[in-house]
Amino acid sequence: MSPNNRFMSVFGAAPAQTPPPIWLMRQAGRYLPEYRAVRAEAGSFLQLCYTPSFAVEVTLQPIRRFDFDAAIIFSDILVILDAMDRSLRFEVGEGPVLAPLEPGTVLPPLELGAQVERLAPVYAAIAETRAALVANKALIGFAGAPWTLACYAVNGRGGSFDAAVLATMASADWFQSLIDDLTARVADHLCRQLDAGADAVQIFDSWAGALDQVGFERWCIAPIRAIVDRVRAHAPNVPMIVFPRQAGSRLARFVAQLPDVAISVDQFADLGAVRRTVGPKTVLQGNLDPLALVAGGEALTQRWRQLAGTLAAGPHIVNLGHGIRQETPIAHVEHLITLVRDGSA
Ligand code: CP3
């Protein structure tokens, strides 16, 4: 690893970097005209995910355009449900649609071989991307957390995840079997991404905020803890980032049980308060409001200054509090990078 890899150095013993590394969740996507062109050529979103040459190209696009410090492999958290043959498709204007998994449905025995076969193009894309990426840029692999994947599996689409929350309460034993199956799948997928060349991995628990305090322990924290242990047994010391979105006051319990991971913080949390909770060593990531990046101008500058005021307190990766919005003007992303790198503009 290159000694001037800004992203990776945040995880070392060195003090906080100036300027800090920056990448953006969903940085490869529809706000980029060059993404839309490849997406049109690929035909469908899943075709884009499963064709290494396309996936490599769209992974590298935001690095070429913005010189971000890290690339995130182009794929989706839902490929694991696709590998479970849940009839995943992406509908225009609707997002993902799957065959809803009825609570109580007996799951077929876990068979990771079929998943490895289905997801082989992801691993090939990672190997190709790492070979094409300069040494001072990191490559991030990722997966959805079991809870968030279970939300989509049970509900069959986005929107409200009440059906999944209800299943955690009314069919807890069955739900546990689903979570256990997903935990094994996610751990395997992350280990294989690291083997293929990813430098770090991020776990997205986008719907962590839908769980109450009791549910949060069992369905958010416990499976992520198990995954981190399995991944670290395979790849000790590998940087792992976890995004328990909208954890709110439950974040203290989360970091107490996961002191060994970086935390990606959503825009609703007070970053200074989170830093005081985690102490000076934990790597934090985030947490600009994606809408501030849509707004740009003074609104963005003001929020950047507030974030910058917390940087001396510990290692930080500049990012958004959730994925970049499709309507984000490219000039605003450039403005943010200038703010971070020049401390002006
Ligand atoms: O960050 C990156 O650039 C890497 C690629 C990436 C995508 N999805 C590509 C994508 C990553 C890391 C994800 C994560 C993901 N996918 C999450 C967790 C983060 C979050 O946003 O909360 C979730 C919940 C999903 C599931 C998913 N995939 C949804 C709900 C949708 C539809 C909503 C939408 O934005 O259209 C997708 C589709 C998707 N995944 C697109 C992209 C670029 C858009 C599809 C298209 O191009 O047609």
Side-chain angles (χ1 to χ4, degrees), residues 24 38 61 78 85 88 97-98 114 144 170 176 183 192 194 230 239 249 271-272 293 310 334:
L24 302 180
V38 177
Q61 284 173 345
L78 300 179
D85 289 325
L88 173 67
V97 181
L98 309 101
Q176 186 69 58
T183 297
R192 285 178 199 278
L194 290 164
R230 288 187 209 184
S249 62
L271 198 57
L293 197 58
T310 71
E334 292 165 348

Side-chain angles (χ1 to χ4, degrees), residues 23-31 35-36 39 43-46 48-49 58-59 62 71-79 88 90-96 140-145 148-149 152 157-159 161 202-207 243 245 321-324 326:
W23 70 280
L24 302 180
M25 289 192 268
R26 298 281 200 107
Q27 65 190 13
R30 289 167 298 193
Y31 73 110
Y35 169 85
R36 295 196 297 269
R39 170 77 173 74
S44 76
F45 175 70
L46 280 178
L48 177 53
C49 289
V58 296
T59 300
I72 180 163
I73 190 65
F74 190 83
S75 180
D76 198 85
I77 65 166
L78 300 179
V79 294
L88 173 67
F90 286 83
E91 289 185 358
V92 180
E94 160 95 46
I140 304 169
F142 71 92
T148 288
L149 293 176
Y152 285 99
R157 58 184 65 218
F161 292 110
Q202 175 155 334
I203 299 172
F204 290 87
D205 214 349
S206 301
W207 300 106
F243 180 39
R245 193 168 76 90
H322 198 192
I324 189 169
Q326 184 180 350

Side-chain angles (χ1 to χ4, degrees), residues 2 16 29 50 75 82 87-88 100 124 142 150 159-160 187 209-210 214 221 242 247 260 290 327 334 338:
S2 163
Y50 291 144
S75 180
D82 188 44
S87 311
L88 173 67
F142 71 92
S160 150
V214 174
I221 295 178
V242 185
D260 49 343
E327 65 273 29
E334 292 165 348
T338 310

